[in-house]
Amino acid sequence: MTDLLPTARTGGPAVLTKGSAPPAAPPQEPGPPVARGTRRRLGPGRPLPFGRLIGPVLLIAAWWAASASGYLDPRILSGPGSVISTASDLVATGRLQDNVLISLQRAGLGLFFGVVSGVVLAVAAGLSRSGEYLIDGPLQIKRAIPSLAMLPLLILWLGIGEEMKATVIALGVAVSMYINTFAFLTSIDNRYVELAEGLDLSRAQFIRKVVVPGSLPGFFVGLRLGVTSSWVGLIVVEQINATSGIGYMMFQAQQYAQSDVIIVGLVAYGIFGFASDAAVRAIERKALSWRRTLAG
Amino acid sequence: MATHPGGLITEVRPAVRTKQLVRKFGDRIILKELDLTIAPGEFTALLGRSGSGKSTLLRAVARLDHTVEGSGELTVPERVSLSFQDSRLLPWLRVLDNVILGLRGPGARERGLTALEEVGLAGRDRSWPHELSGGEQQRAALARALVREPELLLADEPFGALDALTRIKMHGLLRELYERHRPAVLLVTHDVDEAVELADRVLVLEEGLISVDLAIDLPTPRSRRDARFQEYRDTLLTALGVTQPPPTA
Ligand SMILES: Nc1ncnc2c1ncn2[C@@H]1O[C@H](COP(=O)(O)OP(=O)(O)OP(=O)(O)O)[C@@H](O)[C@H]1O
Ligand SMILES: [Mg+2]
């Protein structure tokens, strides 16, 4: 039988017999159609190193070209050159670093508390019925109310200080962490649960060896959404009575019509978002190396 | 919750004893006061038509049927291993970690490596399950079952998903491992030949009761061409309603 399989991967003219002597010569004439080359691939091709940077680099190149050719009015959008020189001025005075640092701290704090509480809630809701009944409903309701809609209430409760800012960010992060981790956790194959029972695993072992790895893909989906939502939350809270941070820096620039400073702020947000997403992806690839998926 | 009046008594002898074991799904009674005793070290195969309740019985003996309604007395040993039709390796654990999952005590890794060697998977301990072929996955599952040194091995169609050639090899391997470790075995299968070839006793489950209890008195290794092999086979096929009994009158 195997002799009849086309030697597909060689790509050359298909030879019907493998090995040396063909004992019973296969029919040479009309015969079955012979496949050549490999099959059509339906998944995406092989990944390129740093391939993800291609899109952003092209975008910047287009911006550069547009402003260098004078097509772009600098009063509407400064070119990359003047943005870079503005950025280096801001770095020289220390203004950029200070604001970036405080923004990063806000987003980081919110992200941290959001991730921890989202995961804890998901595990509690996923592993016990009473947990599910108590937790899932309120969180689904919370999901329908954007954190930003709760802003007036949070300001009333917590003031306009750093606690309010971290809380707004954490709320958004927690919801996306919870939704995704919980969804994957509850869809862990029941056969694995049966296996764990058959092997007499303790509850702690079950959580460590089955629940956590089984819901890790959901954790990462949640984390990527959570990271994004922490930047969105950051941008919003920095528009409210902030006296520091990138948002504040941009707000000030708007008052003095410094479009290049605004762009520096936008670029900083963009870099944050892009870099943090790349970091999460890298961790995800490492942690989920056992998976074979379409993305490869 | 299943109710088991008389509770669960764990003792050494016999390997399995059920008394008036009843299991039902709603109004459908699958096991009707089933009595079954399996001696330590006895290799038993369980046949029965699809839907006759073989898996239900096996899951009851494995005490995995929390949600199934029922009654009766059940005695099983302390160390019971279970293998399924699918190999059920956790995709996120490497092969060795799958084998020693839940194993307690020192030297677990060494024992796991020995078990892998026994099933012919030496050197594959660092592989991911998806890197193994179907037959290799099933062998890894066998290693996972045996590394616990079970007094009772329960297997629900462990070779069901394998091709014919791999199946033959697995039969040899299972028998060999059985002779070395001597657990009591309860093997659920659809394949009458497999049952006669491997087991020393073949049961047929029908209408919720054991309808045939046949001792296979043949030396191992067994040849399917042996005339007595054919006799056992025909008896069992008849009991399963596959062939008509030869005209007697
Ligand atoms: N969870 C369940 N809920 C309701 N009925 C069930 C359930 N599990 C099994 N049954 C029924 O119980 C009967 C016995 O099922 P069981 O799986 O034990 O059969 P089996 O002998 O193992 O069959 P097969 O050889 O096809 O695996 C079947 O009629 C099945 O429909
Ligand atoms: Mg079954």
Side-chain angles (χ1 to χ4, degrees), chain B residues 1-8 21-23 60 65 68 70-74:
Chain B
M1 279 305 290
T3 49
H4 303 282
L8 181 91
L21 197 69
V22 175
R23 288 292 183 273
D65 56 347
V68 184
S71 62
E73 225 177 86
L74 178 66

Side-chain angles (χ1 to χ4, degrees), chain B residues 50-225:
Chain B
S50 186
S52 56
K54 304 183 294 295
S55 298
T56 306
L57 175 58
L58 203 80
R59 293 166 52 79
V61 174
R63 294 181 288 140
L64 279 177
D65 56 347
H66 329 277
T67 53
V68 184
E69 220 185 307
S71 62
E73 225 177 86
L74 178 66
T75 314
V76 291
E78 197 150 344
R79 295 195 307 276
V80 179
S81 280
L82 191 63
S83 89
F84 306 88
Q85 182 166 1
D86 57 317
S87 60
R88 219 166 281 199
L89 300 170
L90 294 174
W92 47 79
L93 292 184
R94 292 179 191 272
V95 170
L96 179 62
D97 294 317
N98 261 292
V99 169
I100 62 173
L101 183 60
L103 207 59
R104 292 178 185 85
R109 296 191 77 79
E110 284 67 40
R111 281 163 63 196
L113 286 171
T114 313
L116 278 174
E117 211 174 296
E118 271 194 302
V119 299
L121 286 179
R124 304 301 300 274
D125 50 300
R126 300 274 305 150
S127 299
W128 295 111
H130 73 73
E131 294 168 343
L132 301 185
S133 73
E136 287 169 340
Q137 292 177 10
Q138 210 48 267
R139 278 191 271 158
L142 203 53
R144 179 180 59 199
L146 287 171
V147 79
R148 273 144 251 277
E149 291 166 10
E151 295 156 78
L152 173 63
L153 174 64
L154 301 170
D156 196 348
E157 299 185 41
F159 314 128
L162 300 181
D163 65 280
L165 278 177
T166 312
R167 228 167 212 261
I168 293 172
K169 285 193 190 142
M170 290 294 289
H171 288 165
L173 178 65
L174 178 61
R175 189 71 208 188
E176 184 190 314
L177 293 169
Y178 163 72
E179 313 244 319
R180 195 173 317 152
H181 299 275
R182 285 273 159 191
V185 179
L186 182 57
L187 169 77
V188 169
T189 173
H190 270 130
D191 184 344
V192 174
D193 287 326
E194 183 171 290
V196 178
E197 185 176 330
L198 292 174
D200 299 318
R201 181 183 172 201
V202 180
L203 308 172
V204 175
L205 185 63
E206 198 182 339
E207 308 272 325
L209 290 170
I210 304 290
S211 65
V212 174
D213 188 342
L214 187 67
I216 306 291
D217 187 15
L218 288 176
T220 55
R222 293 168 184 165
S223 160
R224 297 191 181 194
R225 284 191 300 273

Side-chain angles (χ1 to χ4, degrees), chain A residues 12-101:
Chain A
V15 183
L16 283 176
T17 46
K18 265 189 193 164
S20 46
Q28 295 281 326
E29 298 88 43
V34 167
R36 280 162 205 271
T38 51
R39 266 184 208 282
R40 176 186 303 132
R41 96 181 295 154
L42 294 174
R46 210 176 311 170
L48 277 177
F50 303 109
R52 256 170 227 296
L53 289 175
I54 293 174
V57 165
L58 281 179
L59 196 66
I60 291 171
W63 175 26
W64 204 296
S67 59
S69 65
Y71 181 74
L72 206 61
D73 186 343
R75 277 167 307 175
I76 296 184
L77 187 61
S78 334
S82 76
V83 169
I84 289 175
S85 70
T86 306
S88 56
D89 289 349
L90 287 170
V91 171
T93 58
R95 221 174 120 204
L96 187 61
Q97 299 95 302
D98 291 351
N99 286 315
V100 162
L101 222 63

